[in-house]
Structures are given as C-alpha cells and as structure tokens.
Amino acid sequence: MDTPISGSVYVAPSLSTALDALHEGGSAAAPFAGGTWIMRAPIRHEQLKSRYVAIGKIPELHTIKVDADAVEIGAAVTHAALATALAELGEFDVLTAAAGHSANPAIRTMATIGGNLATTAFAAADCVPALLCLDAEVEIASRDDRERTSLEQFLTMRSTLAPGRLLHRIIVPRRDRKTVHARLPLRRAGDYPTAIVSLAMILDDAGLVETARIAVGSVEPVARRWGRLETALIGHPLNAAKAAEAAAELADEFAGRDAADVPGWYRVRVLPGLVRRAVAALGS
Amino acid sequence: MGLSMTINGDHLTSTADPVTPLVDVLREDFHLTGAKPVCREGFCGACMVLIDGNPTPSCLIPAALAQGCDIRTVEGLAANGRLNPIQAALEACDAVQCGMCFPGMVVSLTHLLTTRPEATRDDIRAALTGNICRCTGYERIIEAALLALATP
Amino acid sequence: MSDASATMNFRRRDAADKLRGRTRYTIDRYLPGMLHAAVLRASVPSGRITRLDTSRAARMPGVRAIVTAADAPGMIGIGIADHPLFARDVIRYDGEPIAAIAADTLMQARAALAAIDVEIEPLPVVLTMADALAVDAPLVHPAWRNYEVLLAGGARGGNVAWEATVVRGDVDVAFARPDVEIIESCFRVGRQNHVAFEPRAVVASYEDGRFHIETSTQVPWTIRNATARLLGVPASQVRVTVPPVGGGFGLKFDLAIEPFAALLARASGRPVRLVNSREEEMLTCLFRENADIRIRSAVTRRGEIVGREAVVLMDCGAYGGEQIFLTTMTAHTLGGNYRLGAVRLVSRAIYTNTAPNGAFRACNGVYNTFALERHTDEIAARIGMDPLVFRRRNVLGDSDFGATGQVFEGDVLGPMLDRMDTMRDAAAIPPKRTDGRLYGRATAVGTWFVFVGPSAATVNMNADGTATLVTSGVEIGSGSMMQALPQIVAGTLGLAPDDVIVRAADTDAAGYDVGVGGGRTTVSLGAASLSAAQEVRTKLLKVASEMIEAAPGDLVMRAGRIEIAGAPGSGRTISEVATRAQAQFGPVSGTGAFTGSGVPAMPGCVAGHFIDAIDIPVFAVHDCEVAVDTETGHVEVLSYRVVQDVGRALNPRAIHGQIQGGVVQGLGYALHEEVTIGSNGRVRQNGFETYRVPLALDILPVEINLYEGAPSIGPLGTKGAGEVPILNVGAAIACAVANATGKRVQELPLTPPRVLALLLDREPALSLPHIADSWIDNLVRPHGTAE
C-alpha cells in the first residue's frame, strides 16, 4: 500500500549536526541518504522510522578525494557522481561499472554509495562486491569517535550497528590492478542483477596472476569474496576458459538465494559464465 | 511551518507531512496531475520531474527534501502552451497511445535533448531504462527523440 | 460513397494534452468535498468469516461510511452468477474484499481498515488446477448447483465452473487409421499482468437518487448493469461516464471497484474516490489466465491432419468471470489456422482459491496459438516435413471448414505466408555467428476474430459545419476513438476529421455497447457510426438538392462542401446546408446500430459456447529470429516480422503503432513477465521490481506488412487491428527457441532461468496427469447431452 506515514525529516547541514541528531534520536532515528530504499518501505510493508536525518546535503559527504595511494568517497556520493569521477581511472573500472550500470539513470543520480553498503536487506547492491574486490575500508562515525574497519567486517556488523552511528566515508586503496564488474540482470538493464562477479587482478611481470580478488554479489544474502577461486587463479596466466572451469568446480560452495523471480540454483549456475566474461574483459 | 519550493517558476508552499512523496504534494496540494504515481518505486518513470535540472522520480523524494528546490514538471515544459521540441516530435511521430507514461517520457527526453545533443539510438534506449511504456513498444518514442535531435 | 477519403494517417487529437500533462484521467479527478476510500481485503486464500465488526472502525477519525456484504445483495457473472461484491461468510481468494471505508483522507480510510474486527477460520485450499481436479478436492463453491444460470448449455460440476466442447466428425476413427502418426504435446503457461499504467480507479457520486460513476473502464454498459445487479437497484439508476483511460488491454473489460465507491457515495452523501494501489493491481489483477493444454493429432505422412483432439484447462481463479466466456474461444484459436479432418476440443474453466482472472488482449488466443504452433512444429518434425511446407499445405483457405463447421471465405493465410517469404527473403543476410550462442528462426500462424456484438451511435450535424459523434466508446489509448471513428464519419460527410467532435462515453447519452475490446471498436462502433453518418448525409443531400437544384444522386460531399459531382466549387458549404436544414426541419441527426450477422456453425458441433462461429476472422503471420545464450539462458530477439490481415487499413500509421506495441507486449509474455503464486495463495510479484515488462533496451523495431483485401463485414472493409498483434508472439518466440536449442519448449514465459533449465535438462518433460488420457474422461458430461 502506498501509505505515507507521518514522520519528521531533519536536513542536516553538517556531519556533526547529523551525528548529534542521530545520537539524540536513538533507535527512533535513522539516516536518510538517497531515499531509493527507504521511500519504498510501503511496498515491503515496513513502517517508516519516526525521525530521519537527511545527510544528502552535507558537503563533506559529497566529496571524492583522489590521492596517490587511496581514493576516499563520501557516503552521500551518488552512483552517477561516482561513475563520472572515476571514469578515467582504469584501476577502478569495476567500481565505475558498478555505479554506472546499477538500476536506471534517474535512480543513479539519487542512490548513494553509503546507502548501497548500509542497506542490509538489499542483496543485489552492485557496489558491495565491487568495493570488496578493491579491498575497501569504511569509516563509521558517531558523535564521539570514528572507527575504521574493512568493508568485509562492516558487512557482518551493519545490521546490528548501534543507533547514532553513520557510515560516512569509504576508503579504497590504489593499486596497479586490472578490474572488471560482470553483472547479470534478467533484462538487458534496469533490474537488479541476479548475480555479480567483481574482479581485481594484479599481474606480475610474466603476466601471471600475483594477487586476485574476486567478489560475488546477489547470489547469497550478503556479498562475499570467493577465496577458493582466488587461490585457484594465482600463479596462472589470465585465461577466461580456464577461470570459468575453475569457477564451475568451486561454485557449489554458494547457496543461491531463492526469490520470486529467480531460483537460487540459477544464481549459482551462471557464476562460471560471469567469471569467464569478467576474465575475458580483462583482455585474455 | 510549510515547505516552500519553486515549481514551474512559481513559489509555492505545502503543509504536507515531510515524508510525503513529492508526487503526492504536486498532485494533491498543487493540482499538478501531470506526474503519475504508477509504481511508486522508481522503476517506471511516470512521475519524473526535473529537480534542479535533473530528472528525478518524484515518488522517491520526500517533500522535506524538495524544500528550496527548483522543480519543473511536465506542465512547465511547454512554454506558453507551445510544445517543446521533444513534445512536438512525439506528436509528429504519432507516438502517444494511452499517454500515462508520457509526462515522464517528456521529462527524461527533454533532459536528454538539452544535455546530450550527440545521443545515438542506443543512448536514447539506455536513457529510457527507467521510463516504462506499456502501450507503444517504445519504437515511436525512440524515433521521435532522434527526430528532435536532428531538428535544428 | 466517398470512402477513399477515410484512409489517412490522421494524427490523434488527444496527443498534445497528453504530452503536456493536461489530460485528466480518472485518477486525476478530484471533486469538491470528495472522500477517499479503501478496501479491506482478505489475507488468506480460503476461510470462513466468523466475525465481522465495523463498529470500532466507524468511530475512527474522519470515517464517513463503511459498507460490507450486507449492502450488496446481488451476484454477478458471465454464464453463471457466482460472484458477490464482498466475500459473504466465505473467503475464496487472498485479496478478496471484505469491507470498504470512506474517510476524509486516504490515510484515515486506511487506518480505519485496521480497526475492522474480523475473524476468519481457515478452510481447505485448492491453489492449482491439478489440486482442483483431484478426486475429493475441496470445492471452491460448494453450492455451485444453486447459482443462477445466465446462459443455459454449459456443463458444470464441482470445481469445473464451465465447460465448452466442440465435436465434428469421428475422431476415434481418424486416430485408428493405419496410415497416421499420432503426435501428442503438453503445454503450460503462466498468468500475465496487464500493467495498465492507470490502475483501476473510480469517482462515484449519488445525485438525485441515481449513481454517477466516473471510472477507468473499457465497458461503461457492463459497469452500469453489473453495478445495478450487485446493488439490487434498477440499471437505469446508474450512469457511467468515462474520462480518458490510461491503458486497458482487457484489464478494464469487467467490473472492478466501481460498486464500492457507489455504495460509499450513497451511504455518505459525498463523492467518493477509490483508486487501487499498484500492489492491489499486481495481486488482484484479473490476469490473463494460466492454462494447461494437451493436444493430440493424427497426421498422415503426407501431412494431412485427419484428426485432432485437445483439452484446455483455464484457471478462472475464485470466480468464473471472463474465463467462462473465453472457453468458447478455444474452438477458433486452438481449432483455428488449419484444415482439420475430425476434431474434438474441450475447454474447461476451473475454480481455484486464487485471484480471479480476466480478459487480456487476444485472450485465450495467445497461449492456444503457442500450443498449436509448437505442436505443429512437433508434427512436422515427426513426419519429416519442413514446418513451413506443412503450414502452407494445411492453412485455412477459401471454402474450408473451421472447427465448428463454419465455412471460411477467401484465401487469406496462404498469400500471407507468401508475403512473409518475400519479406524474409528481402532481409539482409545475417552475419556469421561466432559468439557461441544458439540461433533459431520460426514462422508462426495465428487465427483471431473480432468480437462483433451490439453498438449504437448518433451523429448530430451542427449548423457550423461540424458533426458530433455520440457513442459509448472509450479511448483507451489505441486511437480508435481518436482516429478511426472520426475518420469514418468525416469520410462519409466530406468533413475534415478534426471537424468531427467525439463525445466521451456516457451511458445517459448513447445507446448500449458491448465495450471497447476484442478488436471491435472500429468494426462495431465504426459500423454504427457509419450508418448514423449515412443517415445525416441522406438528409443533408435532400436539403442541398433543393438549394442547389440538382438531384441528390448527382451531389458529392467533400472538403466541407456539397457540390455537383465533377464540378468542384459548385454547390454550398455543408454549414450552409446544415443551417438551412435546421431552420426548416430542426437540427439534423442520424442514428446507427450494428451487431454481428451470425455466421452459422454446423448443427450439433458445439456445446456450452457463447457464440457458435466467427463473423470476422483475423489472421496473422509472425516470423522471428532469436539467439540463445547457453551460459545464462537469455534470449535475444534479432528480428521480428509481422504480416497482419487488417481487412482495410483506415489509418496505416496508427495500425503500425498498435502492432509494434502489441508485439512488444507479447515479447513480455514470451520472455519476461512471470506471475507465480506462493503456498499462501498470494501472487508473489507485487511490484515492478519482480514483475518485469520489456524496457526500451529489450525491444526492436518490428517489420510490418499490412495485408488488405480479405473479406470483412466491418465498415469500409475494416477489421480490428489492435487486438491481434500480440496473438502469435509467444508462439513465434517459443518455436524459434525450440529450433535454436533443439529442446522441447513446453512452457512460457521463457525467462532466463527457464531457458537455462531447458538447456541443462534440469527438469523432466512436462506432463499433465490431471488431464485424463482419454479425451472423453475429461468431460463433466458427454458432448451434446442435456443436464
């Protein structure tokens, strides 16, 4: 039902005022970023919170800082802004593609990177596996402190994050790597992907895989790294067919989530193909 | 205390609840029924409006965040009632059927025309990923966008 | 008659306002003092209401009226009156209405719904047709015998809501012939949601002792009559008017939420607005029904179909609704396309504890065409004949018998297949494929027909030289009311179509009409309008002949003038003549009426049918090429071609628009749009995230060829053109995917998971054990026997 429930929205002008408001609101309050998830609460038959702290107008949460050894992304950076900002940096192809192809064009100008990472119930978030394979870290702010943690760690604790805390920044280390994002929607575009394979590879001088980061999204409720496949690829040249073969052998470690539109087996079954496509896109 | 915003050049105030979707404020407070609340999820695009120049599904914007914004709805795109280039092209191509999606189509394509004059057929199709039409099969809409782009 | 002038690519007059956001659909109507309504719906699929107390809700803020089953004594239905407005005592589907509330605001109305005290004791559930047909299955309508029968002749029994049969010739003998192969195929299709962008919406008021219902519908007269029946008031107390409709596709071919608003308006004395939420639309759609089909043919090795039998199970959901009527159509859709020796078909509407289904563009035809064409390919493969050669050998031609024994006129499908060959041959040769995908092509044939039925029209000639056309037709987006009808009137009277004013539907102003759907608008409303315009023409020519001093037979009407034939500029303007006529005799008007001619069937062939034969057959030939991704199951459509029988194309450009749109809607049905029902009886796709309609990136431009000249009783030789484009799409795609993959395609939609499962042989071939092996064992009672 499309019932708007009454509530209040505080449009925070700065991070500190946002954190104060979240602190004071306690469990009745929640941050409001792009709104593309929260405003759809009625279709999920969820109650809206009584108090929202809108963080979309806080300048420092909108910045993308590109340094020599890391990129820092404010939590309220939109998908569209992120895709544009990183377009020229090849090592971030995976993130540019994730941010630049999610949902649809208008949603990409609203949905934020912070919202994408913090929404526990959204299994098909594109940026989560993309950032996992980039070894991203996140910074969580509260009125009294800042805590930095790996994205992997954050994903395990995000649903139980204490009130008053806000994911405010994502830090992505810079490396000389090749990256790619392979996503599979049911239509050509415009849906959430049924499965995602995000890849980041560092090759040695001989062209062999030195480090591999492979993350799988949308298949299970929470995106995760595919450690066994990473191990299988290390020390070998990039080869799409061989990578797909290895993926096929290892894919049964995933328990695909069943949904109204996609059966769990399908999400797992397409993984080798996505791995093949991803590796092939890296140029081999 | 009301929420004030500029809509099609008019300064307007709403007393709507702050989390009310903008589309309901437009329709019920301001009687601008062009934007259609079809899916209320940001998938269909029928409620698209320009907020500070950007196409935005007005179902996903709470009224509180429209405060102070410059909003243009489909009603504000035909200056003095004259169809703008994409509206004229859609009419010339006999693209309209039931018409419910067109307010959003017009908003998205008006933006495309002004920001991406070099857009190709595939760019247009991609730009319409968030605008569903159930009647036309899209082809006439794409044709009209190409016609409008080609018309000086 | 100057009918040539009726052909044109006339632009629709409603486009500019629609493009400016000015058009006021029903959802955009807000009346002063209007209340907002909401409906309490059941959240179980089957149960007994043990307590219903609205007293607490009545005290909630803003509440002005509450209505329940006690306020709506009547029952409605097609063929059989099985459907009350509100659940009475028993809940039969998840989402069934229990009560409705009107309040000052929508939020108040919805809050009050939660304050209705209702207790429901669960009852046994049948969710599938297999469940419903099981021995000792719980009955969805235990009292089915007591319902009022509105049309005699349909066999019924238990969970079989209606049964229609066709028997022509001796099928047993045909199947026993030594020279035939027996080919049997099973198919299953899911439901399809129309996703009309304007949901069902109504604003009702109660004025001077009558109901005024403004509603988003295709059938104003059905709304009038069915509302009256449910409310127990004379039909003349209900007036229905229809603003522009934001999409119909058959969804709005039946009564929906109108009576709730009407009852609340009477109870409150205020106008009441009721609009379905998108979720209500998704869950209680009146979907295109799911169906299970078994078809079996006896075919000689030389390709003659000597016998055919089929069982079609159509899920009508909790109430019979349109499916009762649609059982009739199997004879012409599954029994269409091809010459058959002996034939027997049974089409059964089955009750289940699921949301009722309804009509959807080319109802029943899309899945029967899918089944028939896939079966046809399986036949061709079995006897080793090229599928196109087999089709060409067997398509219906001049003087051939249809399934019910009607005689077809003219060779239409054969030349249409030729034309498709020409189109296909003219296409560029596709480049070599090296991407690892599987490629396939198919050509599929389809038979549809125009629902003719009664229509009325009045043309008022205005003294200023314009004409006003008054009908109960509705503009649902197809353009019939904006283009075809004014073109027909304008062509008859020598006016510009812009000078024909088209009155929006109002049951107080125009006569009875079956409704806008089934491809009948241009035909039935068009014929009534033509006849009304001809009466005006005759009257005007008589007056003009005195003014011009020439015999009426020597006069023509063109370009706003009545002049002597061959002497342009002679005579008078139509306005002058109309003004004179008005002064002398009073205003000039004409009325017209039309209905089907009633083509005969062979006596004894049909039982339980609402019509025996088809007045206006419509044929279509589709051809497509697909590529199938073996890793993901994605199907890409590479080309799509349509040859469509249109009789005569009054507005070719508008028809092209209908074909492109209909094909894309069919691509949704074939490839993307899936409805499933959970174990709780609720449709699982509740919004646009999970129900996927084609987007701009998923479609392609359809190559179109309009086939003109086939016989038609339609005005100026027209046939309906908007309904049929969706007919063959599921068939063409399914056959092409089967050809590409070498797999037996038995189900639609071909979503990527379903195609991948097929490629991987993940599931056993579909069998339908709830369809009895022997055809006759599927019948409630033998064909042609009385109750």
Side-chain angles (χ1 to χ4, degrees):
Chain A
M1 305 285 158
D2 36 279
T3 320
I5 308 295
S6 80
S8 74
V9 178
Y10 168 61
V11 183
S14 67
L15 182 59
S16 61
T17 55
L19 292 171
D20 285 345
L22 285 168
H23 182 87
E24 282 154 21
S27 61
F32 187 107
T36 55
W37 183 265
I38 292 171
M39 291 300 282
R40 291 166 57 208
I43 192 74
R44 298 189 298 270
H45 298 267
E46 290 169 8
Q47 291 288 320
L48 287 175
K49 293 265 187 183
S50 61
R51 184 165 169 73
Y52 283 107
V53 178
I55 60 168
K57 305 212 166 157
I58 301 171
E60 73 171 286
L61 297 190
H62 271 290
T63 55
I64 301 172
K65 204 165 115 217
V66 180
D67 285 339
D69 49 359
V71 168
E72 292 179 15
I73 306 161
V77 168
T78 65
H79 284 62
L82 185 61
T84 306
L86 299 180
E88 304 302 320
L89 301 176
E91 61 178 291
F92 293 108
D93 281 353
V94 62
L95 192 52
T96 307
H101 291 97
S102 64
N104 64 53
I107 298 296
R108 294 197 286 272
T109 66
M110 305 173 75
T112 64
I113 181 84
N116 214 233
L117 300 192
T119 306
T120 309
F122 183 36
D126 271 286
C127 290
V128 177
L131 286 165
L132 277 177
C133 83
L134 294 173
D135 294 324
E137 295 188 306
V138 299
E139 198 165 275
I140 298 156
S142 63
R143 196 161 69 166
D144 305 317
D145 79 319
R146 303 281 186 276
E147 186 191 339
R148 192 152 153 173
T149 177
S150 72
L151 174 58
E152 250 175 315
Q153 180 61 27
F154 173 74
L155 294 177
T156 66
M157 54 186 266
R158 60 183 176 177
S159 61
T160 55
L161 214 58
R165 301 170 78 77
L166 175 70
L167 185 162
H168 85 107
R169 211 151 56 116
I170 297 111
I171 304 101
V172 192
R174 297 196 61 179
R175 305 241 166 87
D176 182 16
R177 60 196 156 197
K178 296 173 138 197
T179 72
V180 63
H181 189 69
R183 65 197 300 274
L184 187 71
L186 286 187
R187 286 172 300 200
R188 287 282 287 275
D191 355 308
Y192 299 133
T194 59
I196 306 168
V197 171
S198 298
L199 220 78
M201 300 289 198
I202 298 177
L203 303 183
D204 65 16
D205 295 341
L208 305 181
V209 175
E210 192 173 281
T211 63
R213 295 280 184 273
I214 302 170
V216 172
S218 195
V219 174
E220 295 179 338
V222 182
R224 66 174 168 99
R225 292 257 303 271
W226 194 349
R228 291 163 73 203
L229 184 60
E230 292 174 359
T231 308
L233 300 190
I234 288 171
H236 299 287
L238 279 178
N239 178 297
K242 292 222 164 105
E245 265 173 47
E249 273 173 35
L250 299 170
D252 62 0
E253 72 174 77
F254 290 93
R257 66 192 168 92
D258 274 315
D261 43 356
V262 186
W265 70 263
Y266 179 80
R267 300 179 194 276
V268 177
R269 193 64 179 68
V270 297
L271 283 177
L274 288 180
V275 167
R276 189 187 62 72
R277 279 159 212 214
V279 174
L282 291 181
S284 51
Chain B
M1 192 189 75
L3 298 162
S4 63
M5 50 196 97
T6 305
I7 300 180
N8 302 330
D10 298 331
H11 299 288
L12 299 173
T13 306
S14 164
T15 55
D17 194 88
V19 292
T20 306
L22 176 61
V23 65
D24 294 324
V25 176
L26 294 174
R27 291 171 56 83
E28 284 166 32
D29 289 1
F30 304 145
H31 310 293
L32 292 165
T33 56
K36 306 297 183 207
V38 172
C39 76
R40 293 184 177 273
E41 291 200 80
F43 289 109
C44 77
C47 68
M48 205 77 87
V49 298
L50 295 172
I51 299 187
D52 296 331
N54 296 312
T56 308
S58 58
C59 63
L60 296 181
I61 290 282
L65 294 187
Q67 160 80 32
C69 289
D70 182 31
I71 295 162
R72 198 155 284 272
T73 71
V74 67
E75 290 94 336
L77 293 178
N80 306 318
R82 283 172 58 97
L83 300 182
N84 79 6
I86 187 63
Q87 289 169 319
L90 287 162
E91 192 195 30
C93 292
D94 202 23
V96 178
Q97 292 189 25
C98 95
M100 283 281 292
C101 72
F102 277 88
M105 288 283 174
V106 166
V107 168
S108 289
L109 291 172
T110 298
H111 181 258
L112 178 93
L113 244 59
T114 49
T115 55
R116 303 183 58 194
E118 78 304 342
T120 64
R121 184 183 166 81
D122 280 348
D123 294 337
I124 295 163
R125 295 166 79 204
L128 292 180
T129 305
N131 287 91
I132 296 176
C133 175
R134 190 54 162 163
C135 297
T136 65
Y138 302 100
E139 194 52 34
R140 292 268 171 91
I141 297 170
I142 298 164
E143 263 174 48
L146 287 167
L147 173 68
L149 283 165
T151 308
Chain C
M1 183 171 56
S2 54
D3 73 25
S5 60
T7 303
M8 62 189 83
N9 287 324
F10 170 54
R11 274 188 225 169
R12 43 196 303 162
R13 60 189 67 184
D14 56 345
D17 269 11
K18 284 179 171 176
L19 288 164
R20 282 189 285 235
R22 289 181 180 173
T23 302
R24 298 270 174 176
Y25 303 85
T26 304
I27 54 160
D28 301 323
R29 307 248 159 183
Y30 295 85
L31 300 182
M34 183 176 79
L35 303 175
H36 297 262
V39 175
L40 178 69
R41 294 178 180 275
S43 55
V44 295
S46 178
R48 183 172 307 285
I49 301 172
T50 54
R51 193 166 98 88
L52 176 62
D53 183 349
T54 58
S55 53
R56 203 161 56 90
R59 294 192 298 273
M60 293 284 285
V63 170
R64 303 286 176 172
I66 302 181
V67 294
T68 65
D71 300 284
M75 303 268 279
I76 57 167
I78 297 174
I80 183 91
D82 63 358
H83 197 168
L85 180 61
F86 292 102
R88 290 181 196 159
D89 308 329
V90 178
I91 303 290
R92 294 194 175 86
Y93 70 96
D94 179 88
E96 182 158 19
I98 297 170
I101 294 183
D104 292 340
T105 71
L106 184 56
M107 273 172 66
Q108 287 172 333
R110 287 184 175 160
L113 290 183
I116 294 177
D117 294 305
V118 57
E119 283 168 24
I120 297 170
E121 178 187 292
L123 287 174
V125 183
V126 289
L127 292 183
T128 66
M129 292 193 285
D131 290 349
L133 292 173
V135 179
D136 301 329
L139 294 186
V140 179
H141 293 266
W144 63 272
R145 282 188 182 83
N146 304 334
Y147 291 150
E148 182 188 353
V149 174
L150 306 173
L151 179 96
R156 304 186 295 129
N159 286 329
V160 179
W162 194 267
E163 194 168 273
T165 45
V166 177
V167 175
R168 179 167 62 70
D170 193 330
V171 174
D172 288 324
V173 167
F175 275 72
R177 272 170 57 160
D179 62 336
V180 298
E181 293 276 344
I182 309 290
I183 297 99
E184 176 176 321
S185 315
C186 291
F187 301 99
R188 169 179 290 162
V189 294
R191 298 186 184 194
Q192 184 182 20
N193 193 309
H194 312 67
V195 193
F197 262 34
E198 184 184 33
R200 266 77 59 88
V202 55
V203 179
S205 42
Y206 191 67
E207 302 156 354
D208 301 329
R210 294 177 77 224
F211 297 94
H212 177 193
I213 296 174
E214 270 192 299
T215 183
S216 183
T217 189
Q218 299 169 241
V219 286
W221 281 86
T222 302
I223 302 300
R224 171 188 186 267
N225 295 340
T227 299
R229 194 179 158 94
L230 284 168
L231 271 47
V233 301
S236 57
Q237 283 185 16
V238 182
R239 174 189 174 204
V240 178
T241 58
V242 187
V245 173
F249 317 117
L251 172 65
K252 299 169 184 171
F253 208 78
D254 203 352
L255 185 83
I257 56 176
E258 291 86 357
F260 303 125
L263 282 171
L264 290 166
R266 185 173 65 182
S268 66
R270 304 258 295 264
V272 172
R273 174 180 197 263
L274 176 59
V275 176
N276 263 355
S277 70
R278 181 54 52 183
E279 187 175 37
E280 287 177 296
E281 290 284 284
M282 297 307 295
L283 302 186
T284 65
C285 164
L286 297 179
F287 300 91
R288 183 195 298 288
E289 67 276 10
N290 53 303
D292 297 341
I293 300 160
R294 194 195 64 199
I295 177 168
R296 196 183 267 162
S297 299
V299 183
T300 67
R301 290 199 178 74
R302 289 167 53 201
E304 181 187 356
I305 309 165
V306 297
R308 172 163 289 166
E309 63 178 28
V311 179
V312 177
L313 304 181
M314 305 161 60
D315 190 344
C316 54
Y319 297 101
E322 287 286 338
Q323 276 61 46
I324 302 270
F325 175 88
L326 298 180
T327 55
T328 292
M329 298 174 54
T330 291
H332 312 293
T333 54
L334 197 69
N337 286 5
Y338 305 110
R339 270 191 314 278
L340 304 173
V343 56
R344 61 187 177 196
L345 309 169
V346 58
S347 217
R348 320 178 81 192
I350 308 296
Y351 288 127
T352 58
N353 290 118
T354 62
N357 289 314
F360 193 143
R361 203 174 196 170
C363 321
N364 165 290
V366 292
Y367 55 76
N368 274 338
T369 303
F370 154 64
L372 176 58
E373 290 300 279
R374 278 284 304 118
H375 179 63
T376 300
D377 276 0
E378 292 187 352
I379 292 171
R382 173 77 71 83
I383 64 171
M385 189 178 275
D386 176 273
L388 260 178
V389 173
F390 180 82
R391 284 179 171 83
R392 197 176 298 280
R393 184 198 189 291
N394 287 294
V395 288
L396 290 167
D398 191 41
S399 308
D400 283 336
F401 287 118
T404 69
Q406 86 171 89
V407 179
F408 280 86
E409 269 182 73
D411 280 318
V412 183
L413 270 172
M416 288 174 70
L417 282 169
D418 293 342
R419 203 171 282 191
M420 181 58 83
D421 289 347
T422 310
M423 277 174 90
R424 206 188 301 107
D425 293 346
I429 295 169
K432 274 261 186 257
R433 283 78 175 247
T434 53
D435 60 3
R437 292 191 296 177
L438 301 172
Y439 290 78
R441 167 190 297 295
T443 301
V445 175
T447 304
W448 182 248
F449 57 97
V450 177
F451 285 87
V452 190
S455 283
T458 300
V459 172
N460 294 319
M461 189 68 221
N462 302 313
D464 63 1
T466 64
T468 306
L469 173 64
V470 185
T471 71
S472 292
V474 175
E475 179 52 58
I476 60 173
S478 70
S480 302
M481 300 299 296
M482 294 292 141
Q483 293 167 312
L485 263 50
Q487 284 179 225
I488 286 171
V489 172
T492 310
L493 296 177
L495 302 175
D498 279 325
D499 287 331
V500 179
I501 298 147
V502 180
R503 171 83 154 93
D506 180 346
T507 55
D508 278 4
Y512 178 76
D513 187 70
V514 173
V516 168
R520 66 181 298 284
T521 314
T522 301
V523 171
S524 287
L525 281 160
S529 302
L530 177 63
S531 136
Q534 282 166 338
E535 185 184 333
V536 169
R537 179 186 166 90
T538 304
K539 289 178 178 173
L540 288 176
L541 288 181
K542 185 154 179 286
V543 174
S545 89
E546 285 165 17
M547 292 169 77
I548 303 169
E549 295 179 349
D554 295 335
L555 297 177
V556 293
M557 297 181 77
R558 54 171 290 280
R561 299 184 66 82
I562 299 179
E563 25 183 68
I564 296 164
S570 64
R572 300 297 183 91
T573 66
I574 291 173
S575 169
E576 287 173 297
V577 178
T579 303
R580 167 74 73 93
Q582 180 169 306
Q584 278 190 329
F585 310 105
V588 173
S589 67
T591 59
F594 181 79
T595 192
S597 57
V599 171
M602 208 175 272
C605 266
V606 298
H609 278 221
F610 286 72
I611 48 170
D612 290 353
I614 57 184
D615 284 323
I616 305 182
V618 184
F619 300 107
V621 176
H622 289 203
D623 179 279
C624 72
E625 188 185 21
V626 301
V628 180
D629 188 319
T630 57
E631 283 178 338
T632 66
H634 281 67
V635 176
E636 186 187 357
V637 183
L638 303 172
S639 67
Y640 206 98
R641 302 188 176 92
V642 171
V643 177
Q644 185 170 316
D645 161 30
V646 294
R648 161 137 182 244
L650 284 189
N651 190 325
R653 193 165 67 156
I655 295 176
H656 280 235
Q658 286 299 303
I659 293 177
Q660 173 74 30
V663 167
V664 167
Q665 223 169 43
L667 291 177
Y669 183 67
L671 294 170
H672 305 288
E673 299 177 26
E674 181 156 50
V675 175
T676 51
I677 292 171
S679 56
N680 60 357
R682 182 170 302 171
V683 169
R684 295 182 77 198
Q685 293 74 12
N686 68 341
F688 285 17
E689 179 182 336
T690 44
Y691 191 77
R692 293 177 168 82
V693 300
L695 304 178
L697 280 167
D698 300 302
I699 62 99
L700 75 172
V702 176
E703 292 173 55
I704 297 163
N705 188 296
L706 304 183
Y707 184 89
E708 297 191 78
S712 172
I713 59 162
L716 316 178
T718 53
K719 297 185 175 188
E723 187 92 3
V724 77
I726 197 173
L727 179 70
N728 311 26
V729 187
I733 296 290
C735 292
V737 169
N739 290 340
T741 59
K743 301 291 181 185
R744 200 171 181 207
V745 173
Q746 295 180 285
E747 294 189 63
L748 291 179
L750 291 165
T751 59
R754 179 161 287 129
V755 173
L756 192 58
L758 201 62
L759 288 164
L760 298 172
D761 295 318
R762 270 185 68 94
E763 280 156 34
L766 175 72
S767 67
L768 301 169
H770 51 293
I771 295 181
D773 189 56
S774 166
W775 183 83
I776 201 143
D777 293 344
N778 289 287
L779 273 54
V780 168
R781 63 169 195 257
H783 172 85
T785 60
E787 216 160 328

